[in-house]
Amino acid sequence: MSGLSIVLRSIWRRAEGRFALIVLALWVVVALVSLVWTPQSLWVTDGYHVWAKPSADHWLGTDGTGADVFSWLMAGSRTNLLIVLLTVALCAVWGLALIAAMVARSAALSGVAVVLVDALISIPTVLVALILAVPLGASIAVVVIACGFGYGLNLARVARPAALLAARSSYVESALSNGAGGLRVLVSHIIPNILPVLAVQLSLSAGTAVLAESGLTYLGIGVPSGVPSWGHSLATSVKLINVFPLTVLWPGLIVTVVVVALNVFGDVLRDAIDPVANPALRQVEERDGKAGRGCLPNDIVETDKAVEASQSYETSENHAGNAASVAVRGGEHNGGEAYDGR
């Protein structure tokens, strides 16, 4: 059984994992279907049936322009999915670049990177979005860049301890001594060892990106008018929430369920890909010679085994009895002859 199938089985075995997978799968399916079909055309409005209640023609009712709410929510799912994917990708690239600098061998580079992250992390995401909105205007790029920039800083700040521990480990030293470059060490050793942390942080970033899109669109600096999104549906209907609450309920409910599913998915994925928390995955990695520390290049596996054997030998020496230690040292001082203890 492959590692991927074990991870998926581990996620599906938990109730919250099934909930997250079902919700996320429905999200992807609806987004794909909306590319070719929606119950009503997005641009068809009915001025005689504004703020209409759910009916056979309009499953979730209509908004203030007479447009079908369900169709706009379907089309908005693909916009929000695109925002989440781009935000997570930018967050991962930006965060891993910062992590590489923060755990670098150069003390000057790592020190500057740590101070830079500590300084930039204090800047609110909304402020970054407002600054970007000046040259770019209201656009999806504002949401993606602002969220990816801010969440990448959080990722680097949280994952740095685990990355630093991996960067100072014996198998990284072995890889460097065998001529491995910094990028190879990062991809082959550091990233596999911080995957549980990355899973949680990236899932949190995905969920927060959905919320940020809604907030920034409501402020007028997110998704532009005319582009369907869940935030757009909320922004256009929240003004009359006291009169027509159902039009706010549907997009708000969808955003809540998706954000909860993303956060839950990150938690169960962390446990599923962690060899310490998942014995089945640990057995597979031990069988494949990975020993729970990431996938090692073939040219340094033997070196790692030698390092482990040396460490095991040193540990056994440290735990030996005092008499045996004295005998060894005595033999060394007497030209290799056994010391009789007298």
Side-chain angles (χ1 to χ4, degrees), residues 14 16 21 119 136 142 172 186 224 227 254 290 320:
R14 298 172 58 174
E16 59 270 32
L21 287 177
L136 299 178
V142 171
V172 169
L186 176 67
V227 178
I254 291 174
K290 300 174 185 177

Side-chain angles (χ1 to χ4, degrees), residues 231-252:
H232 181 270
S233 297
L234 281 170
T236 56
S237 58
V238 72
K239 299 175 183 178
L240 297 176
I241 185 174
N242 293 328
V243 182
F244 306 103
L246 285 180
T247 56
V248 182
L249 173 64
W250 304 126

